[in-house]
Amino acid sequence: MLIGGVLLVFFFLLIPVFAFNGYLLRVIGTTVEGESEPPAWDDWGELIIDGVKFSIVGLVYSIVPIAVIFGIGSVLLGLGGAAGNSGGGIIAGFGLMTLLLLIPVMFLIYYIVPAALANMAVEGSLGAAFDFSLLKNVVLTSDYFIAVLMPIVVGIITNLISNILAFTVIGLVLVPFVTYYGQVAVFRMFGTAFASQTNKSAQQVTGPTTSA
């Protein structure tokens, strides 16, 4: 917690952010592999590289759909404003409705990215984050849906605690450490959700195991 909290104190610098994200990727990977203890803070070069991969996956999954929706919505709003009258109002209305699609798209990104990160952590390659055939078998299950909702509750609780602590100087110092704890808990939940579904899929393919 000390190392993670200190890194978050220097979140405005790129290297600490990449190292922290790399650690979160390590958390989700060791969780899928069945480890019960948090991973060690070692091999910092690998952590930073994994943190860069973490950021790339997040950017690819978010920037492309957001840019497309925002671009179409902005164009329609511009056309509606230029056209004027009732026809322009209708076009602008479609543009506004298009921009509102950003809300469900953001949730969809939040929903899919944990599974993508987990698969990348397990396979050790950036391409594994875009193995849609495997990800489909995980994310399209009710168990995964429920499991991914639980970290939202943890996030709300940790944010509430952080906001309360921020009212005092001593509490403000503790905020990065509370945030670290919350993030590790959330990514462990993501890893558990991914592991439960991939194990079920493997059992369906190989059949139940028996012992003599």
Side-chain angles (χ1 to χ4, degrees):
M1 286 188 67
L2 179 61
I3 296 173
V6 170
L7 285 176
L8 287 178
V9 170
F10 297 97
F11 72 93
F12 52 90
L13 301 174
L14 281 178
I15 298 301
V17 170
F18 288 145
F20 183 74
N21 287 343
Y23 184 77
L24 292 180
L25 192 64
R26 187 174 290 181
V27 167
I28 203 171
T30 55
T31 300
V32 174
E33 292 170 357
E35 296 291 336
S36 59
E37 295 293 328
W41 285 94
D42 56 14
D43 199 347
W44 286 80
E46 181 181 335
L47 277 180
I48 293 171
I49 293 173
D50 286 344
V52 173
K53 293 179 181 179
F54 182 110
S55 301
I56 291 174
V57 171
L59 286 173
V60 171
Y61 272 99
S62 59
I63 284 183
V64 174
I66 290 175
V68 170
I69 292 174
F70 187 79
I72 295 175
S74 299
V75 169
L76 290 175
L77 285 173
L79 291 175
N85 300 324
S86 59
I90 293 174
I91 296 175
F94 279 116
L96 182 60
M97 291 175 61
T98 301
L99 291 177
L100 290 176
L101 287 175
L102 287 172
I103 298 174
V105 166
M106 290 298 293
F107 178 78
L108 187 61
I109 293 169
Y110 163 82
Y111 183 73
I112 294 175
V113 166
L117 291 173
N119 200 41
M120 179 175 69
V122 172
E123 298 296 331
S125 67
L126 184 61
F130 307 99
D131 183 358
F132 299 112
S133 60
L134 183 144
L135 296 179
K136 179 184 66 175
N137 295 331
V138 175
V139 300
L140 296 181
T141 61
S142 58
D143 289 343
Y144 180 81
F145 176 78
I146 294 172
V148 169
L149 289 180
M150 291 306 297
I152 297 178
V153 178
V154 175
I156 293 173
I157 293 173
T158 53
N159 284 333
L160 179 61
I161 295 173
S162 297
N163 289 332
I164 294 173
L165 290 174
F167 282 106
T168 64
V169 176
I170 297 177
L172 192 60
V173 174
L174 297 176
V175 167
F177 302 95
V178 173
T179 302
Y180 162 80
Y181 182 86
Q183 287 295 301
V184 170
V186 164
F187 274 78
R188 181 156 178 81
M189 289 181 177
F190 287 150
T192 302
F194 182 84
S196 65
Q197 294 311 309
T198 51
N199 288 340
K200 286 182 180 179
S201 297
Q203 289 176 0
Q204 290 173 358
V205 172
T206 62
T209 58
T210 59
S211 58

